[in-house]
Amino acid sequence: MKILLVEDDLALSDVVSFTLRRAGFEVIPAYDGAAAMAAWETTQPALVVLDLNLPKQDGFAVCRAIRSQSQTPIIILSVRSGDDAVVHALELGADDYIVKPFSPAQLVARVRAVLRRAGTGVAGGQLAHNGWTLDPLRREVRWREGEWLHLTPLEARLLEALMLNAGHVLTADALIQAVWGVEGASRAMLKQLVYRLRAKLEALSGGDVIETAPGVGYAFRA
Amino acid sequence: MLLESASPISDVVAAERCILVLALLMISALIAAVILIAVAVLGVRRRNAPVVDALRRNEDAVDADQDELESFNAYPAREVTEEEAHQRLRSYFLASISHEFRTPLSALRASLELLVNEENPLDPAEARQVLRAAHLSLVGLQTLIENLLTSSAIEAGRFSLHLAEVDMRLILADAVRVATPLLERRQQPLIVELPAAPALVQGDGAQLTQVVLNLLINASKYSPVGSAVEATIAVQVKEDKGEKGARRKIVRVAVADRGPGVDLALRSEIFRRFVRGHDSEREQYGVGLGLYVAKTTILAHGGRIDVENRPGGGALFWFELNAL
């Protein structure tokens, strides 16, 4: 699931990107308003995280331009805490407003909540899909009303990325980025990780829910 | 299980804890600094006599443009209209200072929370990635705070130099070390050209480092990602304008970028307080203190500082100091 992150501060952009990628999202960074509009048009993200103080075109203008064309959820991430800015952003169509400094866990929770309201099936910090429930924070998964099964951090991130995109094939590169971040990993490591996760899920439900798309990647098909 | 406590991962976690404590102390100090600086910037009336005196003591020794010196905004006795303009700039400064502090603080807070989260711990590679972002934020904060403190010292008439014999090659090396995280993040190679022999001047090492750092950071911020930044130090012999036929040795430091360049008609403006380059295009945010601090410091050293545009695009900021 793609998130367009519009933040001009490189360090903050890197930390937010890291946080969102670790939560299983694909992040498209943009560092000014004009680049944000170009990226939004070409990538059609599921959600936009948007700073207000931006070079070239400020966040209000970006918010207004996106909202005039689509209902893509927008979360404002800004140092401006005054009522004027908050009210103006919400009136322009922003779905949520987070004041800096912020907690990464709170940001991820807000992203999931906004996506849930937008109808993407993310529920209460947990991911649910066709009988499967994943709690990314506790790194536990269960099938229907069965026992919770603990996952390793890498397994949890892989399953989170797959469930966020349930029914769609994710490329190996996208999964590697979601699981290992920019440090990366080999396809062989991903293959091993899929093998381990697949075995654990199969033990819970008795069926294989991770489909291999040969030469491309994997999909969660429950 | 006990063996795990001696593993590299545990070492990384222990190091993270130390970094966390240091960072929290630093953040506390930052908050105190913000309060003090805000009080200083807002509350202090301009009393610049020591700076003026220092500059005037040096004016016989340099060929700095006297007219430019007198119009420089460190000086009192402005016209009302200029005072009003200054107030507007000050208002802008107060609005932008919130952004400039809270944004890197956000990155620091988020980084530290990720590092100390025991429920979902980072592996060593992830920890390094997060620490790099935190380091980059600290560079920005350090530069901002140093410029604010120097600026408020100038305004309060407390700006002074601690002179000693310094080698500008070492000053540049110190500044490069601080600026490296930004240059690396923006994938900008730094091309350095130095003389083989020491480039000695009588100067305040810390203040001169801040000047060079400000020029490097400006060059990085205004240059496209991936374009080279160039820093050059040269020892030159120049004719002394004050005395016909006389010659003197100078150390010239130049920092060049491939950014949009400078509108030369406004080049004296960009060295003024709270003024930022390319305001109209809003290319970059900042409080507009770096070049002001640089110019004040160089003038107080009896030197010259200016900017010119480069053939092929970009700006070249330079300053000259008398060589020893």
Side-chain angles (χ1 to χ4, degrees):
Chain A
M1 189 173 290
K2 291 177 189 168
I3 292 182
L4 173 60
L5 169 63
V6 192
E7 169 59 62
D8 65 326
D9 183 84
L10 291 176
L12 186 58
S13 175
D14 287 351
V15 175
V16 174
S17 290
F18 176 88
T19 302
L20 294 173
R21 285 194 178 111
R22 205 157 184 260
F25 298 102
E26 181 184 346
V27 180
I28 300 137
Y31 304 103
D32 61 59
M37 287 311 301
W40 179 77
E41 283 167 9
T42 55
T43 60
Q44 291 295 304
L47 181 142
V48 180
V49 175
L50 180 62
D51 185 16
L52 288 179
N53 290 355
L54 292 170
K56 295 188 178 170
Q57 190 175 351
D58 73 17
F60 291 124
V62 173
C63 183
R64 187 184 297 112
I66 291 175
R67 191 53 77 237
S68 69
Q69 300 173 57
S70 96
Q71 290 303 309
T72 306
I74 299 171
I75 297 178
I76 303 292
L77 188 60
S78 174
V79 298
R80 300 195 203 175
S81 55
D83 284 350
D84 287 355
V86 177
V87 169
H88 188 41
L90 296 177
E91 282 179 350
L92 285 174
D95 297 88
D96 201 353
Y97 196 107
I98 300 175
V99 176
K100 301 174 187 172
F102 60 92
S103 143
Q106 185 191 68
L107 172 66
V108 171
R110 299 271 198 105
V111 165
R112 287 189 174 133
V114 168
L115 287 172
R116 183 178 69 242
R117 290 203 297 271
T120 57
V122 184
Q126 296 181 344
L127 297 179
H129 184 78
N130 284 355
W132 289 95
T133 308
L134 171 69
D135 187 325
L137 290 178
R138 292 166 51 209
R139 300 201 305 272
E140 289 179 334
V141 63
R142 72 173 176 178
W143 165 241
R144 294 184 175 156
E145 298 304 314
E147 292 293 310
W148 287 98
L149 176 72
H150 193 72
L151 300 174
T152 67
L154 293 181
E155 290 166 353
R157 275 181 244 161
L158 175 61
L159 182 56
E160 188 176 15
L162 289 168
M163 286 182 70
L164 281 168
N165 298 276
H168 300 283
V169 174
L170 280 179
T171 65
D173 287 342
L175 284 170
I176 287 170
Q177 192 171 49
V179 176
W180 284 278
V182 294
E183 296 292 329
S186 67
R187 294 197 173 202
M189 290 165 71
L190 175 65
K191 196 172 174 181
Q192 280 188 359
L193 184 63
V194 170
Y195 175 81
R196 290 204 306 270
L197 178 62
R198 183 180 268 148
K200 282 190 174 181
L201 300 183
E202 205 166 330
L204 287 179
S205 70
D208 184 6
V209 291
I210 300 179
E211 179 185 294
T212 303
V216 182
Y218 300 90
F220 188 80
R221 297 206 192 269
Chain B
M1 288 297 106
L2 284 174
L3 286 174
E4 284 186 9
S5 65
S7 69
I9 291 177
S10 297
D11 290 346
V12 169
V13 172
E16 287 165 6
R17 296 288 193 276
C18 293
I19 291 162
L20 168 68
V21 172
L22 288 171
L24 288 175
L25 286 171
M26 193 172 290
I27 289 169
S28 304
L30 286 174
I31 292 166
V34 172
I35 295 167
L36 289 172
I37 290 162
V39 169
V41 170
L42 282 170
V44 172
R45 294 187 60 81
R46 282 179 284 173
R47 294 180 284 111
N48 298 302
V51 180
V52 175
D53 290 345
L55 294 171
R56 285 184 178 155
R57 276 198 300 277
N58 284 316
E59 65 189 18
D60 292 338
V62 299
D63 53 1
D65 184 335
Q66 187 62 34
D67 291 336
E68 194 177 345
L69 277 175
E70 287 177 355
S71 67
F72 186 51
N73 73 340
Y75 285 78
R78 328 296 309 171
E79 291 177 7
V80 173
T81 52
E82 194 162 344
E83 182 65 31
E84 286 170 353
H86 188 81
Q87 286 298 337
R88 280 198 294 276
L89 286 171
R90 181 175 294 197
S91 298
Y92 175 79
F93 163 78
L94 289 173
S96 62
I97 195 75
S98 168
H99 180 267
E100 295 302 312
F101 269 107
R102 293 174 96 178
T103 298
L105 278 176
S106 298
L108 275 174
R109 175 181 164 180
S111 301
L112 293 171
E113 285 195 22
L114 289 165
L115 285 167
V116 298
N117 185 346
E118 292 181 350
E119 285 186 2
N120 200 6
L122 306 183
D123 63 37
E126 290 175 326
R128 276 194 298 277
Q129 193 181 335
V130 171
L131 284 170
R132 273 198 293 272
H135 189 185
L136 184 55
S137 295
L138 280 177
V139 170
L141 279 174
Q142 179 188 338
T143 309
L144 176 61
I145 288 170
E146 293 294 342
N147 284 333
L148 279 167
L149 290 173
T150 305
S151 173
S152 59
I154 294 166
E155 286 291 288
R158 288 185 284 100
F159 181 68
S160 60
L161 301 176
H162 303 284
L163 298 175
E165 184 180 289
V166 294
D167 182 351
M168 286 307 297
R169 299 178 310 168
L170 302 180
I171 297 291
L172 175 61
D174 281 346
V176 166
R177 195 175 60 249
V178 180
T180 293
L182 180 63
L183 292 164
E184 284 182 349
R185 177 60 183 82
R186 295 180 61 79
Q187 300 169 325
Q188 292 163 326
L190 179 67
I191 299 167
V192 175
E193 198 174 314
L194 300 175
L200 298 176
V201 301
Q202 188 77 7
D204 183 320
Q207 300 286 1
L208 290 174
T209 302
Q210 188 64 24
V211 170
V212 178
L213 179 60
N214 286 345
L215 298 184
L216 286 173
I217 286 179
N218 261 15
S220 175
K221 283 169 68 178
Y222 283 99
S223 290
V225 169
S227 69
V229 171
E230 297 171 35
T232 310
I233 295 178
V235 179
Q236 301 172 342
V237 176
K238 293 185 74 172
E239 275 194 23
D240 194 330
K241 286 182 183 173
E243 194 178 339
K244 197 169 184 182
R247 298 166 77 80
R248 62 191 175 87
K249 201 163 72 167
I250 56 134
V251 173
R252 180 184 165 98
V253 180
V255 176
D257 63 53
R258 285 297 177 195
V262 172
D263 182 349
L264 293 180
L266 302 174
R267 69 179 178 186
S268 63
E269 288 298 308
I270 64 172
F271 287 100
R272 294 177 64 130
R273 209 158 69 115
F274 307 145
V275 175
R276 301 161 309 138
H278 302 279
D279 267 4
S280 59
E281 296 172 31
R282 306 187 71 190
E283 291 274 351
Q284 294 283 342
Y285 274 86
V287 291
L289 289 175
L291 292 178
Y292 165 72
V293 165
K295 181 159 189 172
T296 306
T297 303
I298 295 304
L299 292 183
H301 276 82
R304 302 170 67 214
I305 184 168
D306 209 340
V307 59
E308 54 200 59
N309 285 325
R310 301 175 72 191
L316 185 146
F317 284 85
W318 59 263
F319 66 85
E320 293 174 353
L321 299 171
N322 285 327
L324 291 178

